[in-house]
Amino acid sequence: MVFWPGVVVATPAHSGVGATLTYRSELFLTPGTLVRVPLGAREVLGVVWECPTEPPEGLTEAQTKPVAGVLEGLPPLNARWQQLVRFAAQYYQRSLGEVALAALPPQLRDLSAEQLARRLKKKKKQKEAGVDATTPVDTGTGGHDLSDEQAEALQALEAAQTPVLLYGATGSGKTEVYLQATLHVLQSHAEAQVLVMVPEINLTPQLEARFRERFEPLFGAGALVCLHSGMTPAQRLSGWLAAHTGQARIVLGTRMAVLASLPGLRLIVVDEEHDPSYKSQEGARYSARDLAVYRAKVETEALAVEGVHAPRCRVVLGSATPSLETWHAADQGRYLRLAMPARIGGGALPRLRLVDMNHQPKGAVLAPPLVAAMSERIARGEQCMVLLNRRGYAPVLACHDCGWKSACPHCSAFRVFHKLDRTLRCHHCGFTERVPRACPDCGNLDIAPVGRGTEQLEEHLASLLVDVKRPDGGPARVARMDADSTRLKGSLEQQLATMHSGEVDVLVGTQMIAKGHDFRRITLVAAINADSGLFASDYRAPERLFALLMQAGGRAGRDAAFVTEQGSASELWVQTWTPAHPLFAALRQHDFPAFAAQQLEEREGAGMPPYGYQALLRADARTQQAAQAYLNAAAQAAEGLPHRDAITLYPAVPLTIQRVANVERAQLLVEATSRGALQRFLNAWQPLLLACRSLPEARGLVRFAVDVDPLVI
Ligand code: ADP
Ligand code: ZN
Ligand code: ZN
């Protein structure tokens, strides 16, 4: 008998290759089986998508090639995983093969049969050596006794019939709830697995440590694996195999982990669910948070076959400042909202101190009252944190004689002055040069930095605090943490350690310092240049700023006992030029619901998400003209498409940073009043987008991409 497996391979998106390629096989291949197949002159990795006994119409034996080999010993990917991939590909307008293969560890492609067999054998041994998961364990191990609020939330989430929004203040003990929910799931079934997603693992080594400490003693050393893009190919393969074979019970990962194979999946946690890093900005531009919700639904439906008391796969989205999409879903009752307003230990959230920069001495980077407040706190042995969302020494270097500026020759942006290694670096394309000794245009020696970055702020603060003494009589110490200072492996951990140990008094940094860290002695957090976000044209700017400030403020006063002992309240200082902005009134009250309600009302009035549905068609080309011409042609081609009436197509416009690495960028906004209409329209449009590439006016087009539910427009 002959079978005709349809196989998906990593076709570049939009290559026009159909969903599956048909091959021949003597054996039935279960859908989900990993195979090697010939493609042109190469042999590539593929996933069997279906395996019919009849060839597709019109296809003859002579036109097909046999499957070259099966990856032996690897269980097929299951039907739920296939359904997830199919959905993601369709919803985000990419090819099935691209999404499916991107979800697999790259090294799987290069492994010989023997190498794979060896790896699998090792995994099996490890699994057998692991602690027997069905052994009853002492549930108290390492865990805290839950507060009433936590216990109620845990109980409610375990009974929930919908996705859950865990809306808990910073320091309210959300992580502890995740830990105990995880424990219960793992104990409920020997094969059960939990997926915990975080925006960035490297930034919060504490979280990984907490999960390891809690679960490795119970379920064995291999019970937890990480999956994120910072791992080596070998580590990624190992983690993926552990998850796929069920050896790993917990996968802790970034957005890519949402597509991992997890045959026993029963719980998905999306921590800091509002974080923009859950939305991929390249390739298939998926939202890992939204896919997590979909995935839990698919898993639950599959489990429901087992009967009325069938277990569910739950999904918990956690945040102190949920995304407005999630908040709205909870308002509508589609998600269950569980609130944990109180901080563990009863500590108060920091008091807001708004500094009106219009009334400060001209040119002051830090308002004098802020410097005074910091000095007092340092003298008492407390720590401060200062946030500035711009790394480097200064965003621009300029010549005051002739007006030369440190523009990047490849981008429509300035290169940033980094004083420490005396370079000018483009943060968009990476182009780096040594700082010129004199103005390249007029030879003037007096070229000067304009504006301030974290490097300069660190220097400036050290000079402002030079006379301030710590309780031990030593001088105040300032440190900086940003993408530059943490580039070397291990440097982030080391910098966090100096903060935890109290060696450092003031930590200066980008938003990286605001995330998740459980610092115990910080009592003052300051945001220096918070306004910059508010003037952006992006309609999500206030939402992002509110989340950032709440999260930054959440680093202060985490240890209530320490704060009480010190006899001072913790504070969040915000320097602003627009103190009357309604955002600050809500921030003062720590009133996220009020802020969300006000923002949602605005969005509803303007038909913006979550009340309207959007997609972007983006074009990269050698000239701006070609990019826009392609977009306009695509818009023209859309006339007459079914559902066109339900769609608004806006004119093509250049991106804010129009040119990056010598590529001109433009985009066109697509809006619809319903998700279904948007999806149907995009599906019908896709072949026309491909066809428009070969129009004469689109000459010079490098690539196009559709971004569904874009975060930045
Ligand atoms: P969140 O994730 O909401 O910011 P965490 O789970 O990190 O909060 O909890 C904040 C701090 O409180 C942590 O140091 C944690 O160990 C501690 N903690 C959490 N729950 C409890 C509890 N029930 N009893 C005592 N301490 C707790
Ligand atoms: Zn000059
Ligand atoms: Zn550049």
Side-chain angles (χ1 to χ4, degrees):
M1 191 160 184
V2 182
F3 296 90
W4 303 83
V7 177
V8 300
V9 298
T11 47
H14 318 309
S15 64
V17 175
T20 64
L21 301 173
T22 301
Y23 291 87
R24 261 180 297 131
S25 167
E26 310 273 284
L27 297 170
F28 174 74
L29 299 173
T30 311
T33 302
L34 287 156
V35 290
R36 283 193 198 83
V37 290
L39 185 73
R42 295 177 305 147
E43 209 174 273
V44 298
L45 182 67
V47 182
V48 174
W49 215 253
E50 66 237 333
C51 194
T53 51
E54 296 290 327
E57 210 167 304
L59 206 64
T60 65
E61 193 151 338
Q63 290 169 308
T64 57
K65 291 180 182 168
V67 168
V70 170
L71 272 69
E72 295 291 346
L74 210 56
L77 293 148
N78 66 29
R80 282 108 62 205
W81 181 84
Q82 275 191 296
Q83 192 177 335
L84 173 71
V85 167
R86 191 181 303 116
F87 172 80
Q90 193 273 328
Y91 187 85
Y92 294 105
Q93 303 286 315
R94 306 297 285 199
S95 77
L96 207 48
E98 187 197 13
V99 178
L101 274 291
L104 303 175
Q107 223 186 25
L108 210 50
R109 287 173 216 166
D110 316 321
L111 237 44
S112 72
E114 299 78 61
Q115 287 169 319
L116 181 62
R118 228 179 300 132
R119 294 233 166 39
L120 283 166
K121 210 164 131 198
K122 202 167 116 201
K123 288 275 166 260
K124 195 153 164 258
K125 267 219 198 95
Q126 282 170 350
K127 189 174 182 179
E128 283 158 9
V131 180
D132 180 0
T134 51
T135 326
V137 287
D138 170 11
T139 40
T141 316
H144 292 289
D145 288 335
L146 293 185
S147 68
D148 289 348
E149 224 175 69
Q150 286 172 315
E152 268 172 45
L154 180 62
Q155 208 180 19
L157 91 81
E158 289 178 339
Q161 301 293 313
T162 62
V164 169
L165 164 60
L166 185 59
Y167 164 55
T170 49
S172 62
K174 293 186 290 296
T175 310
E176 189 61 36
V177 173
Y178 307 150
L179 285 161
Q180 304 226 1
T182 298
L183 178 67
H184 292 170
V185 167
L186 297 188
Q187 286 175 329
S188 71
H189 196 290
E191 309 279 311
Q193 292 178 306
V194 175
L195 170 61
V196 180
M197 291 204 288
V198 292
E200 260 205 80
I201 289 189
N202 295 333
L203 287 188
T204 48
Q206 253 184 338
L207 183 79
E208 181 184 339
R210 273 170 83 181
F211 270 86
R212 282 198 191 281
E213 253 165 51
R214 193 71 62 87
F215 293 110
E216 286 185 344
L218 300 178
F219 299 101
L224 182 145
V225 295
C226 289
L227 278 182
H228 58 91
S229 53
M231 294 162 66
T232 66
Q235 288 170 330
R236 258 176 81 174
L237 175 67
S238 171
W240 184 87
L241 282 175
H244 179 58
T245 57
Q247 183 225 347
R249 306 289 306 282
I250 304 170
V251 169
L252 182 61
T254 52
R255 65 164 182 261
M256 64 186 278
V258 77
L259 292 169
S261 168
L262 287 153
L265 189 60
R266 294 289 164 87
L267 173 66
I268 310 177
V269 173
V270 185
D271 190 26
E272 308 291 359
E273 67 89 32
H274 63 278
D275 197 292
S277 68
Y278 284 120
K279 179 82 158 82
S280 171
Q281 295 300 334
E282 59 196 20
R285 295 166 182 238
Y286 61 85
S287 155
R289 175 195 64 216
D290 296 350
L291 286 182
V293 170
Y294 178 82
R295 187 169 193 177
K297 186 171 119 222
V298 171
E299 296 287 341
T300 297
E301 280 165 4
L303 288 166
V305 180
E306 294 173 21
V308 268
H309 295 298
R312 303 179 63 89
C313 175
R314 300 188 193 286
V315 56
V316 183
L317 313 179
S319 177
T321 50
S323 65
L324 292 177
E325 280 80 1
T326 299
W327 192 256
H328 180 59
D331 281 347
Q332 291 182 319
R334 286 185 286 126
Y335 295 177
L336 174 67
R337 177 166 31 219
L338 302 173
M340 298 204 303
R343 281 182 137 184
I344 294 291
L349 285 167
R351 192 155 76 91
L352 179 68
R353 301 290 303 265
L354 210 55
V355 183
D356 184 346
M357 291 309 276
N358 299 296
H359 298 149
Q360 297 304 315
K362 200 165 171 292
V365 184
L366 294 141
L370 171 57
V371 179
M374 288 175 64
S375 307
E376 269 172 39
R377 293 194 181 246
I378 296 165
R380 287 201 301 261
E382 300 166 28
Q383 293 173 310
C384 304
M385 202 168 94
V386 185
L387 194 70
L388 175 62
N389 241 347
R390 204 191 277 148
R391 63 194 171 84
Y393 192 83
V396 188
L397 203 60
C399 167
H400 293 300
D401 263 11
C402 74
W404 172 86
K405 283 192 174 129
S406 56
C408 175
H410 310 296
C411 307
S412 46
F414 293 114
R415 280 175 299 166
V416 174
F417 172 39
H418 289 256
K419 191 176 173 187
L420 288 176
D421 57 5
R422 301 214 57 86
T423 56
L424 289 179
R425 270 191 246 160
C426 175
H427 289 185
H428 301 280
C429 73
F431 181 66
T432 302
E433 277 181 331
R434 301 233 356 124
V435 171
R437 223 177 278 281
C439 171
D441 281 1
C442 74
N444 172 20
L445 287 176
D446 191 20
I447 45 177
V450 181
R452 256 159 228 93
T454 45
E455 266 185 21
Q456 192 175 163
L457 184 59
E458 178 190 14
E459 194 182 274
H460 186 57
L461 262 170
S463 73
L464 285 176
L465 300 173
V466 70
D467 294 326
V468 178
K469 296 272 180 292
R470 302 151 49 109
D472 64 8
R477 268 174 270 186
V478 182
R480 173 175 53 92
M481 200 170 111
D482 55 27
D484 297 316
S485 77
T486 54
R487 195 154 287 149
L488 291 176
K489 200 170 160 46
S491 56
L492 178 103
E493 287 79 358
Q494 198 224 322
Q495 285 174 31
L496 289 175
T498 62
M499 197 60 193
H500 286 298
S501 71
E503 222 173 290
V504 164
D505 305 290
V506 181
L507 185 64
V508 173
T510 52
Q511 58 181 334
M512 172 186 282
I513 61 175
K515 297 207 172 173
H517 311 292
D518 195 13
F519 299 123
R520 308 307 290 176
R521 293 171 54 200
I522 291 187
T523 61
L524 185 151
V525 172
I528 295 309
N529 198 3
D531 279 357
S532 53
L534 282 180
F535 303 130
S537 57
D538 182 4
Y539 72 97
R540 287 182 204 265
E543 178 184 357
R544 269 200 298 272
L545 179 58
F546 193 90
L548 177 65
L549 293 177
M550 282 290 277
Q551 202 167 31
R555 298 315 109 209
R558 291 179 75 84
D559 192 335
F562 176 71
V563 174
T564 316
E565 194 181 299
Q566 295 294 111
S568 59
S570 62
E571 289 176 342
L572 169 64
W573 287 66
V574 177
Q575 299 193 157
T576 174
W577 296 89
T578 53
H581 197 289
L583 181 152
F584 296 119
L587 188 65
R588 189 181 295 285
Q589 308 294 328
H590 310 291
D591 194 347
F592 178 79
F595 171 73
Q598 180 263 329
Q599 286 287 307
L600 283 171
E601 199 182 309
E602 261 180 41
R603 300 259 186 108
E604 187 168 20
M608 293 287 205
Y611 301 94
Y613 300 86
Q614 296 179 329
L616 284 175
L617 177 61
R618 291 180 183 264
D620 288 356
R622 282 196 284 278
T623 63
Q624 182 61 219
Q625 198 186 0
Q628 294 196 22
Y630 170 77
L631 297 174
N632 290 329
Q636 274 293 269
E639 291 310 323
L641 279 184
H643 315 292
R644 175 67 183 83
D645 298 349
I647 302 292
T648 309
L649 294 181
Y650 288 84
V653 290
L655 263 67
T656 315
I657 296 173
Q658 164 171 343
R659 187 169 49 106
V660 167
N662 295 319
V663 172
E664 288 284 337
R665 315 183 306 164
Q667 67 183 26
L668 181 157
L669 177 63
V670 183
E671 246 175 33
T673 48
S674 91
R675 200 185 291 282
L678 182 62
Q679 281 292 312
R680 285 188 295 271
F681 173 77
L682 292 176
N683 288 337
W685 204 21
Q686 185 74 31
L688 304 179
L689 297 180
L690 288 168
C692 284
R693 287 182 308 181
S694 37
L695 292 173
E697 59 264 42
R699 264 190 66 152
L701 180 76
V702 177
R703 65 181 83 83
F704 78 87
V706 177
D707 187 347
V708 182
D709 303 333
L711 273 193
V712 184
I713 61 166

